């Protein structure tokens, strides 16, 4: 009789321990899951139209910030081809800002900017490259590297905005955004050509001197 009682007690203890371990494991997983979740702000977008507008404000700020930065890049470059490419893109950027304002109009909203942390970071990185390089081919190569990072960010952003606009049935806005997208792609190609045809090789020659 005592043996049966001991056996039953052990069985109950094992069952309780198993349930406790299982509950502990579940609680741990739930805590870890909650820890990885991001709580949305009170102003968070609830629909695609809101997300589109938030992204539009973001790139509007980015283009305006870039417009102030490009002349400084041109002033610190030495390659005539690079200076010309930067100046040309400065003019394009002015037109791109005007297009964005038209997109705001199409959406029935007043043009407004929201700080773009990504562009702010890329511009600061570009400034750091200027401070970390001597004037000449090496700095030119650095300017191209910084500029292409910016172009790639803009290409990704405008591509996404085009897709959003089409989904929302805003074809006129999509056309304007696509026009800018193509200009950004061309600017990236121009920078690549300048880098591979001249500047990178000139910078490399300095390494060998």
């Amino acid at each position: 009789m005592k043996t049966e009682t001991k056996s039953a007690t052990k069985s109950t203890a094992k069952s309780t321990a198993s349930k406790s371990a299982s509950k502990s494991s579940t609680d741990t997983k739930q805590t870890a899951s909650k820890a990885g979740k991001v709580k949305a702000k009170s102003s968070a977008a609830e629909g695609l139209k809101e997300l589109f507008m938030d992204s539009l404000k973001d790139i509007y700020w980015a283009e305006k910030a870039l417009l102030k930065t490009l002349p400084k890049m041109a002033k610190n470059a030495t390659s005539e081809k690079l200076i010309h490419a930067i100046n040309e893109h400065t003019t394009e950027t002015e037109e791109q800002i005007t297009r964005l304002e038209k997109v705001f109009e199409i959406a029935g909203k007043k043009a407004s900017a929201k700080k773009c942390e990504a562009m702010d970071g890329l511009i600061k990185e570009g400034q750091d490259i200027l401070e970390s390089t001597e004037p000449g081919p090496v700095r030119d190569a650095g300017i191209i590297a910084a500029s292409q990072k910016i172009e790639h960010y803009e290409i990704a952003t405008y591509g996404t905005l085009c897709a959003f606009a089409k989904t929302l049935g805003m074809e006129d806005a999509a056309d304007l955004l696509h026009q800018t997208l193509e200009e950004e792609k061309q600017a990236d190609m121009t920078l690549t050509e300048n880098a591979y045809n001249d500047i990178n090789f000139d910078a490399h020659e300095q390494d060998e001197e």
Side-chain angles (χ1 to χ4, degrees):
M1 189 71 176
K2 289 182 179 180
T3 303
E4 290 179 359
T5 302
K6 288 183 179 179
S7 178
T9 301
K10 287 182 180 180
S11 178
T12 302
K14 285 182 180 180
S15 177
T16 301
S18 178
K19 287 179 180 178
S20 178
S22 178
K23 185 177 183 303
S24 177
S25 177
T26 300
D27 289 343
T28 301
K29 288 179 180 178
Q30 288 178 344
T31 301
S33 178
K34 287 179 181 178
K37 288 184 178 179
V38 177
K39 185 178 180 181
K41 296 179 181 178
S42 58
S43 59
E46 294 182 354
L48 186 63
K49 178 70 176 292
E50 286 184 76
L51 182 58
F52 173 75
M53 294 309 302
D54 280 349
S55 299
L56 200 61
K57 292 174 184 178
D58 195 79
I59 195 65
Y60 187 54
W61 186 96
E63 293 291 17
K64 285 194 163 189
L66 183 60
L67 187 60
K68 296 176 183 177
T69 302
L70 288 171
K72 187 174 184 179
M73 287 186 174
K75 189 174 181 179
N76 282 278
T78 53
S79 164
E80 289 301 322
K81 287 183 179 180
L82 179 56
I83 293 171
H84 175 73
I86 294 172
N87 288 336
E88 194 173 64
H89 195 55
T90 301
T91 301
E92 284 183 342
T93 301
E94 291 173 344
E95 295 171 356
Q96 290 167 0
I97 290 172
T98 300
R99 277 192 215 115
L100 286 172
E101 290 168 347
K102 289 179 181 177
V103 174
F104 275 105
E105 287 180 21
I106 292 171
K109 301 289 184 180
K110 183 180 179 180
S112 60
K114 182 181 74 174
K115 185 176 181 180
C116 175
E117 298 294 345
M119 181 62 79
D120 187 48
L122 289 169
I123 288 173
K124 287 177 180 176
E125 184 177 338
Q127 174 64 31
D128 184 61
I129 287 175
L130 292 180
E131 295 171 356
S132 303
T133 53
E134 292 290 340
V138 175
R139 177 175 285 180
D140 286 350
I143 289 172
I144 287 180
S147 298
Q148 287 198 291
K149 286 184 180 182
I150 290 171
E151 290 303 333
H152 291 178
Y153 172 74
E154 290 184 311
I155 288 169
T157 300
Y158 280 109
T160 298
L161 284 170
C162 279
F164 284 173
K166 289 178 181 178
T167 301
L168 293 166
M170 301 168 65
E171 293 298 332
D172 290 343
D175 288 342
L176 290 169
L177 293 165
H178 185 264
Q179 188 175 342
T180 298
L181 175 61
E182 291 303 311
E183 287 177 353
E184 300 296 3
K185 288 179 179 178
Q186 182 57 53
D188 181 53
M189 287 178 62
T190 299
L191 289 169
T192 297
E193 289 169 2
N194 283 330
Y196 282 104
N197 290 339
D198 300 299
I199 294 171
N200 284 359
F201 291 102
D202 291 341
H204 180 53
E205 284 180 5
Q206 285 197 357
D207 290 338
E208 298 179 337
E209 289 178 358

